[in-house]
Amino acid sequence: MGTDPPLALSRAFARLRPGGLLCLQEPDLAAPRAAPPMPTWEQAHGRLLETMRRAGVEARMGHTLFAAFRAAGLPDPEMHVESAVRCGERAGHAAHRRADLLVATLPLMERTGVTTRVQLAPDTLGDRLEAELTAHDGIVMLGPLSAAWARA
């Protein structure tokens, strides 16, 4: 949402037609992603969090949506939190999606000095995350995602 969430919200809200909805969904990036704790998962999660910290991104923006709506002078939003768990074969798919997120974030990781392409090893990351899940009968937690919406 940028460095000034209330400003971004007020600008978006101003573009709505009467009766239109402003809807947002923000992940809780700081929440654990897999259980039990596994080295590759922990390292990947730590790299993502450190990258967000160095880039000035609020890792738990969903927790601040209500305050941001109020600071923007908008109507109080309705809010909802959603989460899901993937296990078994579906956990493997989630592991590869998590790797996709980390690979997409790699340029920012490199710019902020968190890690390098060689250290992340993007070509094998999804397979390594999936292998850890399989070896530990692990689960992947998706979310929580905080949603907030208000009508103009």
Side-chain angles (χ1 to χ4, degrees), residues 37-87:
M38 295 167 273
T40 305
W41 280 88
E42 295 291 314
Q43 183 182 59
H45 188 61
R47 285 175 170 162
L48 181 64
L49 288 180
E50 182 59 18
T51 300
M52 298 299 108
R53 187 190 69 75
R54 291 184 188 186
V57 175
E58 173 58 58
R60 296 196 125 154
M61 185 62 208
H63 295 218
T64 66
L65 285 174
F66 180 73
F69 269 73
R70 284 213 158 164
L74 303 181
D76 286 353
E78 295 289 328
M79 294 192 70
H80 177 76
V81 174
E82 186 174 308
S83 192
V85 175
R86 298 290 182 257
C87 50

Side-chain angles (χ1 to χ4, degrees), residues 67-140:
F69 269 73
R70 284 213 158 164
L74 303 181
D76 286 353
E78 295 289 328
M79 294 192 70
H80 177 76
V81 174
E82 186 174 308
S83 192
V85 175
R86 298 290 182 257
C87 50
E89 289 180 21
R90 294 182 74 187
H93 178 76
H96 284 273
R97 297 303 63 81
R98 188 62 167 174
D100 291 345
L101 171 64
L102 289 154
V103 171
T105 312
L106 181 56
L108 184 57
M109 289 180 176
E110 290 178 314
R111 276 197 307 277
T112 56
V114 171
T115 194
T116 66
R117 175 172 286 282
V118 170
Q119 291 169 326
L120 188 67
D123 294 340
T124 62
L125 183 58
D127 291 337
R128 289 182 287 128
L129 292 171
E130 182 178 10
E132 269 190 352
L133 286 172
T134 301
H136 294 92
D137 288 328
I139 62 170
V140 178

